Amino acid sequence: WRLARYFTILTNALVAGTFLWMAVRGRMAGPAWLGGLTLWIAIVGVVYHLLLAKPLAGLDAIADFGLHTLTPVLVVLFWLLAAPKHGLRFRTALAWMLWPLAYVGYALLRGQLEGIYPYFFVDPTEIGWIGVARWSGILCVGFVTAGSMQVGVARLLR
């Protein structure tokens, strides 16, 4: 339950569930879902390495590498090489914001109830509500920008 407060854990669970579903069903998930999943897990890696990474050792380092580096890289490679890309539009990139926005609401609500916030950028006790709004805006712009670039790449690769 403690780990379920992290975007990293929840998004990695979405990745695992999606790839398990595809393996069991023997068919590919839809382009919009796979595109969003790829964006979300790629942002996990980027945000971690730019804002959150710290030196770890032993099993912590192995788990950290798998969740924040290996999975994002493999999913991006899968999307580039094998995922369907038809029908992706700018409004699709906007729809991909639903998961990160839902997560921010969840993290803030859970933080208010438990007094523990998973990341500094959603912690009003550390950076204030204006800081949370500022960081949320920055991350939102990052998601929309990266999603729009991904739609552009999809159009080139089709």
Side-chain angles (χ1 to χ4, degrees):
W1 176 244
R2 274 184 337 135
L3 292 176
R5 73 173 51 103
Y6 295 97
F7 187 78
T8 295
I9 299 299
L10 297 172
T11 303
N12 270 277
L14 288 174
V15 168
T18 298
F19 280 83
L20 178 62
W21 180 87
M22 290 191 306
V24 168
R25 300 280 307 236
R27 63 180 191 177
M28 195 74 69
W33 177 256
L34 287 173
L37 190 68
T38 300
L39 173 68
W40 306 327
I41 198 68
I43 296 287
V44 162
V46 169
V47 168
Y48 175 77
H49 287 288
L50 290 179
L51 301 175
L52 303 170
K54 58 185 177 211
L56 297 170
L59 291 177
D60 288 339
I62 294 168
D64 182 74
F65 175 76
L67 293 171
H68 297 105
T69 306
L70 185 61
T71 299
V73 167
L74 291 176
V75 171
V76 168
L77 287 173
F78 170 82
W79 185 81
L80 287 169
L81 299 173
K85 297 165 189 68
H86 59 279
L88 299 180
R89 295 178 171 64
F90 178 69
R91 71 175 176 258
T92 312
L94 292 176
W96 291 337
M97 288 302 301
L98 292 174
W99 169 235
L101 290 173
Y103 172 77
V104 168
Y106 164 77
L108 290 172
L109 178 62
R110 189 163 168 185
Q112 287 289 297
L113 295 173
E114 297 177 348
I116 299 169
Y117 295 87
Y119 304 106
F120 77 88
F121 45 81
V122 290
D123 186 350
T125 66
E126 186 174 328
I127 62 171
W129 286 104
I130 291 174
V132 170
R134 183 179 305 121
W135 272 105
S136 294
I138 290 167
L139 290 170
C140 187
V141 167
F143 270 99
V144 171
T145 301
S148 298
M149 290 170 46
Q150 185 177 349
V151 168
V153 168
R155 289 180 179 179
L156 289 173
L157 292 177
R158 274 192 306 207

